[in-house]
Amino acid sequence: MVEGVQRRQAGTTERYDVFHTDCAARDVVDHVTSRWGVWVLISLRSNSLRFYELRESIQGVSEKMLAQTLRALVQDGLVWREVEPTTPPQVTYGLTEFGRDVGEPLTELFDRITRRLPPRDAG
């Protein structure tokens, strides 16, 4: 896992230069703020989900895009993946500590947005 990509380089006080194109933290930000990355982090905020449950919770995402997004978030250390050796395999995903830390402000952002939107019509 790449959980060391968090805020600072391991063992130093030097911060990542996120404005530099070669910065590892920049890739993580791109994955988190991608079209589906945000929704994955928000969907997993309360509990772990199997792949199909996650796909059903995020309307509009294709299996291919969800798989690609999850692969990137697992590689970044934001999401963990567990495979149960059954036929077919059951794959469960959840947030790591790093993923919960990153996902918390996203949840707050969406809560603020939905509180400020005008009420939806019931009909």
Side-chain angles (χ1 to χ4, degrees), residues 91-104:
V91 184
T92 305
Y93 295 90
L95 294 180
T96 63
E97 182 180 338
F98 182 27
R100 285 189 300 275
D101 192 38
V102 169
E104 187 176 322

Side-chain angles (χ1 to χ4, degrees), residues 33-119:
T33 60
S34 70
R35 179 172 184 185
W36 302 112
V38 169
W39 300 114
V40 167
L41 293 176
I42 290 173
S43 293
L44 292 173
R45 74 185 178 271
S46 300
N47 55 335
S48 59
L49 296 171
R50 292 205 170 129
F51 183 87
Y52 77 90
E53 294 171 322
L54 194 52
R55 189 185 71 227
E56 289 177 4
S57 75
I58 305 172
Q59 293 184 4
V61 67
S62 68
E63 282 192 32
K64 178 183 176 184
M65 288 309 303
L66 181 57
Q68 288 176 354
T69 301
L70 286 165
R71 194 174 304 117
L73 295 174
V74 167
Q75 185 176 1
D76 292 338
L78 296 160
V79 171
W80 55 261
R81 177 181 189 264
E82 179 180 71
V83 180
E84 294 178 40
T86 59
T87 305
Q90 294 181 346
V91 184
T92 305
Y93 295 90
L95 294 180
T96 63
E97 182 180 338
F98 182 27
R100 285 189 300 275
D101 192 38
V102 169
E104 187 176 322
L106 295 174
T107 300
E108 289 176 23
L109 172 67
F110 283 96
D111 286 347
R112 287 178 187 211
I113 290 170
T114 56
R115 280 194 310 263
R116 299 289 241 151
L117 289 174

